[in-house]
């Protein structure tokens, strides 16, 4: 149990900085509770994560400016999209979308590496009506649907979407990502809860640790700036590639 709670705290930290906390918490859940259905692991993870992402979102909102024109509508749409994804979670095999996610993650890593200035400085000129609409659609529909289906890496995808589409720096992109991620967690949690796929007592215990990690992570990101967030993003993306690659070709 102590290992699981530590994983929840670390997942909260990672999620608050750049997303990807599910990379730690989902495997920890499945190892700590052998035989636990994947849907229940996903639902329990959402219970812990929604408190962490909401806490991180509030921390960012108090200390920096959140672009609510983008984050607000995207979060609203994301509640529904993530709920749809959660409803489909048991019907779509992981083998159907894991290779696609791997390709996207590798592309993200290469894109961030070859563009060292991406996300370091904001580019307000990119906030055109068309790009704002695209960001809302990508974040609120596409990424939110993925979060309901499987989840790990959602926050990372959101940060990259906001930096590339509307020119946010990594800190402000992460702030918007937390708002939308709270929406995706809510939508998925409602569906998992209604279908009986949430271990409420364990999820509540992990939520406390997730909140603690989220507060530390958000404050650290705000204090250290976009360069720090960029490094953590690359580490998380590479870790996700390694994990999904292992699941795809080694663990079969």
């Amino acid at each position: 149990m102590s290992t699981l709670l530590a994983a929840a705290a670390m997942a909260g930290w990672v999620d608050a900085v750049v997303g990807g906390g599910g990379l730690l918490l989902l495997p920890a859940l499945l190892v700590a509770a052998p035989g636990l259905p994947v849907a229940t692991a996903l639902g329990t993870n959402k219970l812990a994560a929604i408190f962490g992402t909401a806490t991180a979102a509030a921390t960012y909102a108090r200390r920096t400016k959140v672009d609510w024109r983008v984050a607000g509508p995207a979060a609203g749409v994301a509640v529904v999209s993530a709920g749809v994804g959660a409803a489909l979670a048991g019907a779509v095999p992981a083998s159907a979308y894991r290779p696609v996610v791997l390709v996207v993650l590798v592309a993200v890593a290469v894109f961030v590496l070859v563009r060292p200035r991406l996300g370091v400085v904001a580019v307000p000129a990119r906030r055109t009506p068309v790009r704002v609409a695209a960001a809302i659609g990508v974040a609120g529909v596409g990424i939110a649907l993925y979060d309901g289906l499987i989840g790990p890496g959602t926050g990372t995808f959101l940060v990259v979407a906001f930096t590339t589409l509307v020119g946010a720096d990594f800190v402000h992109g992460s702030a918007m990502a937390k708002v939308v991620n709270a929406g995706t967690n809510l939508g998925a949690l409602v569906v998992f809860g209604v279908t009986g796929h949430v271990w409420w007592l364990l999820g509540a215990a992990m939520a406390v640790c997730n909140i603690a990690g989220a507060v530390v992570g958000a404050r650290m990101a705000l204090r250290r700036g976009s360069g720090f967030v960029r490094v953590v993003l690359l580490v998380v993306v590479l870790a996700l590639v390694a994990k999904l690659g292992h699941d795809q070709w080694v663990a079969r």
Side-chain angles (χ1 to χ4, degrees), residues 10-93:
M10 190 61 193
W13 184 91
V14 173
D15 267 337
V17 176
V18 76
L23 174 69
L24 296 169
L25 198 48
L26 274 175
L29 266 169
L30 294 170
V31 169
L36 185 71
V38 173
T40 303
L42 288 168
T44 305
N45 174 60
K46 292 303 177 193
L47 176 59
I50 190 172
F51 285 96
T53 50
T55 299
T59 301
Y60 277 113
R62 286 197 303 268
R63 294 168 178 254
T64 192
K65 186 178 180 180
V66 176
D67 190 341
W68 291 104
R69 294 174 303 168
V70 179
V77 175
V79 174
V80 178
S81 299
V84 173
L88 297 173
V92 182

Side-chain angles (χ1 to χ4, degrees), residues 2 34 38 64 68 136 138 143 174 181 189 203 209 211 242 244 248:
S2 59
V38 173
T64 192
W68 291 104
I136 292 171
V138 169
I143 299 175
S174 191
N181 210 172
L189 178 60
C209 298
I211 289 171
L244 290 174
Q248 180 70 17

Side-chain angles (χ1 to χ4, degrees), residues 218-235:
R219 290 179 177 177
M220 189 175 293
L222 287 163
R223 185 171 65 251
R224 297 197 176 186
S226 294
F228 169 73
V229 177
R230 181 178 186 272
V231 172
V232 177
L233 183 146
L234 283 170
V235 171

Side-chain angles (χ1 to χ4, degrees), residues 2-3 24 45 65 75 77-78 92 98 104 124 131 144 150 194 203 210:
S2 59
T3 302
L24 296 169
N45 174 60
K65 186 178 180 180
V77 175
V92 182
R98 192 183 291 135
V104 172
R131 283 179 170 268
I150 184 169
V194 168
N210 202 259

